[in-house]
Amino acid sequence: DGGITQSPKYLFRKEGQNVTLSCEQNLNHDAMYWYRQDPGQGLRLIYYSQIVNDFQKGDIAEGYSVSREKKESFPLTVTSAQKNPTAFYLCASSIDLGEKLFFGSGTQLSVL
Amino acid sequence: GENVEQHPSTLSVQEGDSAVIKCTYSDSASNYFPWYKQELGKRPQLIIDIRSNVGEKKDQRIAVTLNKTAKHFSLHITETQPEDSAVYFCAAIEAGGTSYGKLTFGQGTILTVHP
C-alpha cells in the first residue's frame, strides 16, 4: 500500500466499546495525521503529530485518543464517548508538517 | 482557526471542456494551499500545491491560481477527460499560533466528466 498501511479495512463497534485503528508507515515521515471523512463534509482533522511523543488535537478530537510512541506508528482509539463514530477514517503522513500528505487506504468504522 | 469553503459541491462537464473549482480561506497568514484528488474507493492524492509567494502554478492540464488579497484560490482543469472524474479537495495550512501546520480541508467537489 505504498508505505502507509491502515488496518483493519472494515471495523465494527458495539455499544460502549472502545476500538483502535492502526496506522503504520515506513516512509520515515515525522508527521502523522488522522482525518475523518463523512459524505459532504470533506476531511476533518482529529489529531496530528509532528514528532514522536507529541501530538495535537484537531477540530474534532472529542471522543478520540491517540499515541505516538514510535515514529512509524500512530494508532487512533475511538472511545465510547464518541457517539457518532460511523465514518471513513484516513491516516496520513508527511515529511514536513501539513505539506504533501500521503494517505493510507482508510478504515471504514460502523456501529453494530 | 482556519475555515475553508469550497464551491461548487458538484460539477458536471463534457469531455474536453474546462472545469474550475474555487475555495476561500479565512486565515490571512495561511501560506500553503494544496489540492487533492480522490477517485471512487481510493485514497486522496496530492495533485498540485501552491505557496503564497506565487500567484499561479501549472502542471500539464492542471493549474492553480491564488489571490491573497481576496483570500481565494482556484483549481483549473483544461481538456477534461473521463478519468478526471473524482472528488477534489482544496486545503489551507495554518501558519501561526498553537495550530501551526494544521491542514484544513474544504468540503469537496464531485467532478463528473461525461464522454
Side-chain angles (χ1 to χ4, degrees):
Chain A
D1 262 338
I4 181 165
T5 302
Q6 289 187 242
S7 62
K9 190 171 184 178
Y10 300 97
L11 186 59
F12 298 91
R13 194 191 87 166
K14 295 180 181 178
E15 194 74 30
Q17 186 181 42
N18 293 352
V19 292
T20 297
L21 284 60
S22 171
C23 179
E24 303 276 336
Q25 55 99 0
N26 61 4
L27 300 167
N28 200 33
H29 287 173
D30 282 317
M32 297 189 74
Y33 318 79
W34 276 105
Y35 282 91
R36 170 176 170 149
Q37 186 171 24
D38 296 279
Q41 295 195 49
L43 305 174
R44 292 184 292 165
L45 183 62
I46 306 173
Y47 271 97
Y48 62 110
S49 169
Q50 185 172 10
I51 199 167
V52 174
N53 292 323
D54 182 61
F55 49 83
Q56 304 293 329
K57 291 182 179 180
D59 297 315
I60 55 165
E62 186 174 352
Y64 301 96
S65 65
V66 292
S67 62
R68 187 82 188 278
E69 297 176 1
K70 298 187 299 181
K71 187 175 185 178
E72 302 80 15
S73 179
F74 192 40
L76 173 74
T77 297
V78 184
T79 74
S80 57
Q82 173 49 245
K83 298 306 179 186
N84 184 23
T86 297
F88 189 59
Y89 291 85
L90 284 161
C91 178
S93 68
S94 66
I95 297 174
D96 297 318
L97 189 63
E99 298 190 7
K100 303 187 190 298
L101 271 61
F102 190 82
F103 284 87
S105 55
T107 293
Q108 176 64 49
L109 175 62
S110 303
V111 177
L112 290 176
Chain B
E2 178 73 274
N3 183 45
V4 179
E5 297 287 335
Q6 183 172 348
H7 300 279
S9 56
T10 61
L11 180 59
S12 184
V13 299
Q14 289 296 125
E15 183 176 359
D17 288 350
S18 295
V20 181
I21 303 170
K22 299 181 180 180
C23 288
T24 61
Y25 61 97
S26 60
D27 184 2
S28 57
S30 291
N31 57 10
Y32 175 73
F33 308 91
W35 286 88
Y36 287 80
K37 175 184 179 181
Q38 186 178 27
E39 296 178 33
L40 189 62
K42 297 190 176 181
R43 71 188 78 187
Q45 291 189 301
L46 178 69
I47 55 172
I48 196 167
D49 55 9
I50 191 169
R51 297 189 185 279
S52 58
N53 60 347
V54 176
E56 183 176 3
K57 184 177 179 181
K58 289 183 179 179
D59 183 3
Q60 299 182 343
R61 296 185 298 107
I62 292 174
V64 56
T65 58
L66 172 65
N67 183 326
K68 287 174 57 181
T69 303
K71 290 191 284 186
H72 69 71
F73 57 111
S74 300
L75 178 71
H76 305 254
I77 305 174
T78 59
E79 301 172 25
T80 54
Q81 302 167 3
E83 50 265 40
D84 293 329
S85 295
V87 182
Y88 291 81
F89 295 99
C90 63
I93 196 170
E94 295 198 26
T98 57
S99 297
Y100 172 79
K102 191 175 87 169
L103 192 64
T104 299
F105 284 83
Q107 297 88 341
T109 296
I110 301 172
L111 173 64
T112 304
V113 181
H114 299 282

